Amino acid sequence: MPELIRLALEHLEAMPPSTWLRRSGTLYLLVNAAHIGAIGLLIGSIVPLDLRLLGVIRSPHLAVLAPVLARTAAAGLGLALLTGALLFSVRPQEYLQNPAFVVKMGLLLAGTLNAWLVHRGRAWTGVLDGGSPADGLRLQAGASMLLWLGCLVAGRWIGFL
């Protein structure tokens, strides 16, 4: 690992939140539980939305369902990123050496980029206006499910390596 990165990670590990989490089993437990809850919120929102976009679920109407589930997934993602960063700060060098963590971060980045592209596209605007999902949007919904579920599996994999 390059010296500058190692020093930055040591600095991160020495910051007060990291120290508090290492010293308090209860605080670590609560942040970890919040992380799991956030992941549940994200996956629990994105999977039904993706299934609806794919046509596996036929109702309710996408114009009603999509904005609510998208905002809920975004809130889950935001909370997962915050709590995940706190958990990472406890042992950053160990996490970066864990292949499952690296895979999870790649999938997280790809899933977030996919979601951003979906919401920037005309097909998403068309869905919100009451239209049917275009084939490209269906493809993105399928990719979304694979990326987020892969991220979930990779996250669980971290503890086994």
Side-chain angles (χ1 to χ4, degrees):
M1 178 177 306
E3 184 66 15
L4 185 59
I5 293 175
R6 188 186 62 72
L7 289 172
L9 293 175
E10 286 176 1
H11 179 71
L12 174 64
E13 200 170 350
M15 294 182 78
S18 304
T19 305
W20 299 334
L21 286 167
R22 273 192 308 282
R23 290 183 181 162
S24 172
T26 303
L27 181 59
Y28 187 89
L29 167 78
L30 292 174
V31 171
N32 198 350
H35 189 63
I36 292 168
I39 293 166
L41 191 60
L42 169 63
I43 299 294
S45 300
I46 205 67
V47 168
L49 177 56
D50 288 340
L51 288 173
R52 179 60 182 90
L53 289 169
L54 288 166
V56 174
I57 299 173
R58 293 285 178 202
S59 63
H61 200 282
L62 263 171
V64 174
L65 185 69
V68 173
L69 289 180
R71 281 193 293 270
T72 306
L77 176 60
L79 183 58
L81 289 172
L82 174 66
T83 55
L86 287 169
L87 294 170
F88 172 77
S89 74
V90 173
R91 297 185 323 234
Q93 293 182 58
E94 289 178 40
Y95 280 117
L96 286 179
Q97 293 174 1
N98 186 321
F101 178 80
V102 175
V103 169
K104 178 183 176 180
M105 291 300 102
L107 291 168
L108 175 66
L109 180 63
T112 302
L113 179 61
N114 183 57
W116 181 77
L117 290 171
V118 164
H119 292 280
R120 301 267 307 167
R122 288 187 203 146
W124 180 254
T125 304
V127 163
L128 296 180
D129 290 339
S132 296
D135 289 340
L137 185 57
R138 290 181 195 278
L139 182 63
Q140 286 176 301
S144 171
M145 276 192 33
L146 290 174
L147 290 168
W148 291 118
L149 292 174
C151 190
L152 176 69
V153 170
R156 298 310 314 137
W157 182 30
I158 291 169
F160 292 93
L161 296 182

